[in-house]
Amino acid sequence: MRLTTAQALVAWLIAQHSETLDGREVPLFPAVFAIFGHGNVLGLGTALEERRDILPVWRGHTEQGMALAAVGLAKATHRRQVGVATSSIGPGALNMVTAAGVAHANRLPLLLLPGDTFAGRAPDPVLQQVENFGDATVTANDAFRAVSRYFDRITRPEQLISTLPQVARVLTADVGPVTLALPQDVQAETYDFPPALFQPVVHPLVRPRPDRGLLARAARALTAAARPLLVLGGGVRYSGAGGRALEFAQQHGIPVTETTAGRTLVPHDHPLYAGPLGITGSASANGVAAEADLVLAVGTRLQDFTTASWTVFGPDADVVSVNTAAFDAVKHGALAVVGDAEAALDELSPHLAGWHADRAWSARAAAVRAQWDDYIGTLREPTAGVPSYAQIVGAVNDLSEATDYVMTASGGLPGELVGGWRAVGGEPTMDVEYGFSCMGYELAGAWGAAMAHRRGLVTTLLGDGSYLMLNSELFSAAFAGHPLVAVVCDNDGYAVIARLQEGQGGNAFNNRYDDCRSNHAEPPRVDFAAHARSLGCAVFTATDLAEFRSAYAEARTAALAESRPAVVVVRTRPASWTETGAWWEVGVPEHLSGRANYDEAKPRQVRYL
């Protein structure tokens, strides 16, 4: 089949399909997000236009935003579908590096197709070309290498024949971002490709089985434990193993907690649920974790926010880590069981036949979580005046349907959403991007999630700082006709970083607007409502909790009725937070008051190696 490189790549994308968690066959690549420039418009752009009726192409308005939308789509489909983003060379390509970092840190699939400089080099230096003085093979796209699970530069058409199977492997099995740099002259070159390259392929849900000997060792460790704890991470979600994990916990009486990526796997009133774990989690789960003598961590890389910088577990606690990625499973000296979450729990259970944790330990989870629920309930109680984050989250929680999908990414809202949300269980319905904590993901990722999540409404919560950092994909979603609700909480700056700064004894500086340098006695403020309205959104405003509840309810109706984003703008308190009692390691200078707490907490870090 005589095709250009770009035509062959598009034909291959169309031929790939995926098996979902419920057994349906869907396109592996359901959407391409594109901003065209001289580096991709005539090659890849022409090829996409020729197949536009089969492969949907959506116009983005920042390269970073559209690539983050692709990440949000992948998360909402539980990694069973992959978003594609293409840009021109130079600044357009480099704008997508941040999104690659988000996908890499969160173990999410993403296909990036940046244009590249001429392989033939005749017009060098071409517009937007970055010239390396010592290496002529280096282009701007080499910046992707640090944040790509797989990187290749296609300098001849026939390279696709060997590269594309590796692309499929990484996106569906190893799971991470892939970057294919596409020199603009090579995109337009033709080659006689073998028809077999374009035969339809269905990528099944593969469940790697764990080693039997390691399972037996894990079982011996569990049965020897007096106070085991089950930690469920994102890998449980992507395996579709939430129900199996709860069966396993009930069968053996093991208290359960969740990481940020595993949030909403467990109904909040489950008798074995201790709450979410870590700094943005709950004091209840953290208390149980401190008492546990064995941690069975399933599908998690145990990031510092989950482990409170490795102070949340007791110093003598053993760790058994189940993960499809050996890279993540071996961390911190854990007994590494490499395999799929559902497969591992299925095969581990027979080794534990008849074993049950101490009944008093099993009951501890519900008792401490009830105390946490009381605390959250107190924070949610209506008060006069400007509402808190906890009150906003509570209102959204109360007014959401079971099939809705809620999101956030950075600032203070992850702590409020992870720690305070009361999930009904079943299909995961939360995306808190706290692997890379990327400001701006809240709106761009919500656009991608709205494309993929069809059983309910997507609501994203963000602060004024994130809104100002990346808001252009609100217009993309409005233009495309994808409904979602964005709750913009305006607390006059980067309030959670101000909390960190001042809480450690630093002076208020450059975070809240009142503490920032300006040549104006009264600096301007942003009219978020007017701005969102100008981007094509339905807009609602609120000044207190009662108004917010009403505005959010109206926004839900408007978003669905008008097939566009609805934005609710609400002032929020800048210094009201949910407290979990967990510690997070940050570098504290000796002369700040927070150094004393640092010196006290640092020795508590659990060190396995």
Side-chain angles (χ1 to χ4, degrees):
M1 299 177 65
R2 191 161 187 83
L3 301 169
T4 67
T5 304
Q7 287 174 322
L9 178 55
V10 170
W12 180 83
L13 293 174
I14 292 170
Q16 309 305 302
H17 294 78
S18 176
E19 180 187 347
T20 65
L21 293 176
D22 57 5
R24 293 178 296 113
E25 182 181 319
V26 295
L28 180 61
F29 303 103
V32 176
F33 299 87
I35 294 177
F36 293 130
H38 67 95
N40 65 344
V41 65
L42 295 178
L44 190 57
T46 298
L48 288 169
E49 187 277 329
E50 292 169 348
R51 309 300 296 274
R52 63 190 300 177
D53 292 338
I54 301 175
L55 182 57
V57 177
W58 301 98
R59 156 76 180 270
H61 291 87
T62 65
E63 291 87 357
Q64 178 181 330
M66 69 182 188
L68 289 174
V71 175
L73 183 153
K75 182 71 174 281
T77 62
H78 314 308
R79 303 199 309 197
R80 301 311 300 156
Q81 291 186 287
V82 183
V84 184
T86 179
S87 73
S88 186
I89 68 174
L94 288 176
N95 284 345
M96 299 195 297
V97 173
T98 298
V102 171
H104 199 292
N106 289 280
R107 310 301 191 253
L108 291 169
L110 170 67
L111 179 57
L112 297 174
L113 303 175
D116 211 329
T117 55
F118 285 84
R121 301 186 184 173
D124 282 10
V126 69
L127 178 66
Q128 298 181 326
Q129 181 172 348
V130 176
E131 295 180 277
N132 185 287
F133 283 25
D135 187 345
T137 67
V138 171
T139 77
N141 286 332
D142 287 278
F144 284 100
R145 292 180 184 272
V147 286
S148 296
R149 192 66 63 84
Y150 185 82
F151 177 93
D152 199 359
R153 178 174 283 111
I154 306 302
T155 57
R156 293 179 61 88
E158 60 267 35
Q159 287 177 355
L160 289 180
I161 299 171
S162 61
T163 291
L164 292 178
Q166 299 299 330
V167 171
R169 170 187 63 83
V170 174
L171 294 176
T172 63
D174 289 353
V175 190
V178 170
T179 301
L180 291 186
L182 302 172
Q184 59 175 305
D185 51 345
V186 178
Q187 292 178 43
E189 292 178 4
T190 57
Y191 182 76
D192 292 325
F193 289 93
L197 185 65
F198 312 115
Q199 290 298 308
V201 175
V202 178
H203 298 276
L205 178 61
V206 177
R207 300 191 182 279
R209 319 304 290 189
D211 178 80
R212 294 176 181 174
L214 289 173
L215 280 175
R217 286 182 60 189
R220 289 195 294 272
L222 268 170
T223 54
R227 298 176 303 280
L229 177 67
L230 180 59
V231 178
L232 305 183
V236 178
R237 168 181 181 161
Y238 305 134
S239 172
R244 182 66 188 92
L246 286 180
E247 290 175 6
F248 180 89
Q250 288 172 308
Q251 185 176 0
H252 304 294
I254 306 176
V256 182
T257 186
E258 300 166 311
T259 72
T260 299
R263 198 64 174 89
T264 68
L265 285 165
V266 185
H268 90 277
D269 58 354
H270 193 282
L272 288 170
Y273 185 46
L277 185 65
I279 297 165
T280 55
S282 61
S284 55
N286 295 340
V288 170
E291 299 175 32
D293 59 359
L294 182 135
V295 177
L296 177 58
V298 184
T300 171
R301 62 193 182 109
L302 293 174
Q303 181 226 26
D304 70 335
F305 258 71
T306 296
T307 65
S309 297
W310 284 95
T311 63
V312 76
F313 303 127
D316 299 321
D318 294 320
V319 177
V320 177
S321 181
V322 176
N323 206 297
T324 54
F327 180 90
D328 290 320
V330 302
K331 291 175 180 174
H332 294 278
L335 171 59
V337 179
V338 179
D340 170 77
E342 182 172 289
L345 293 174
D346 277 344
E347 297 188 9
L348 178 59
S349 212
H351 289 272
L352 304 173
W355 173 78
H356 192 284
D358 180 78
R359 306 284 174 177
W361 172 249
S362 302
R364 178 133 176 76
V368 296
R369 196 205 64 253
Q371 296 173 1
W372 178 256
D373 285 348
D374 289 343
Y375 170 61
I376 294 297
T378 299
L379 296 180
R380 289 183 172 189
E381 289 178 358
T383 55
V386 176
S388 67
Y389 274 1
Q391 290 171 324
I392 295 298
V393 168
V396 172
N397 201 169
D398 289 345
L399 297 170
S400 293
E401 302 291 337
T403 55
D404 287 347
Y405 195 75
V406 64
M407 304 176 64
T408 193
S410 60
L413 280 163
E416 308 301 322
L417 197 60
V418 173
W421 192 262
R422 294 172 177 172
V424 297
E427 182 177 347
T429 53
M430 182 182 289
D431 176 4
V432 175
E433 195 289 284
Y434 229 43
F436 216 50
S437 186
C438 179
M439 294 179 70
Y441 176 79
E442 297 96 333
L443 293 176
W447 178 30
M451 292 184 185
H453 193 77
R454 301 184 184 279
R455 296 184 59 228
L457 182 64
V458 172
T459 292
T460 185
L461 296 93
L462 66 156
D464 52 300
S466 284
Y467 184 96
L468 289 174
M469 193 165 287
L470 189 62
N471 52 59
S472 54
E473 304 323 319
L474 268 179
F475 176 67
S476 300
F479 181 88
H482 293 117
L484 60 96
V485 176
V487 177
V488 180
C489 299
D490 181 6
N491 56 19
D492 264 349
Y494 303 139
V496 76
I497 297 301
R499 175 199 186 195
L500 176 63
Q501 182 181 56
E502 296 173 69
Q504 298 296 327
N507 295 322
F509 176 62
N510 206 50
N511 285 308
R512 294 193 193 93
Y513 288 125
D514 289 345
D515 306 317
C516 296
R517 187 182 185 92
S518 173
N519 291 328
H520 297 285
E522 295 185 9
R525 290 290 190 267
V526 176
D527 186 337
F528 293 101
H531 187 270
R533 191 174 291 112
S534 75
L535 294 178
C537 302
V539 177
F540 304 84
T541 60
T543 58
D544 59 29
L545 185 59
E547 285 186 5
F548 175 77
R549 292 181 67 93
S550 177
Y552 178 67
E554 291 182 60
R556 292 176 56 88
T557 300
L560 293 171
E562 301 170 23
S563 294
R564 61 170 174 158
V567 175
V568 183
V569 180
V570 57
R571 292 282 297 178
T572 52
R573 297 180 213 157
S576 295
W577 310 100
T578 299
E579 301 291 347
T580 65
W583 180 70
W584 186 40
E585 182 173 2
V586 293
V588 183
E590 287 186 354
H591 65 280
L592 296 184
S593 61
R595 181 65 186 221
N597 181 58
Y598 177 91
D599 290 337
E600 186 277 328
K602 183 69 175 173
R604 300 203 314 266
Q605 282 182 320
V606 179
R607 298 178 183 273
Y608 294 100
L609 294 178

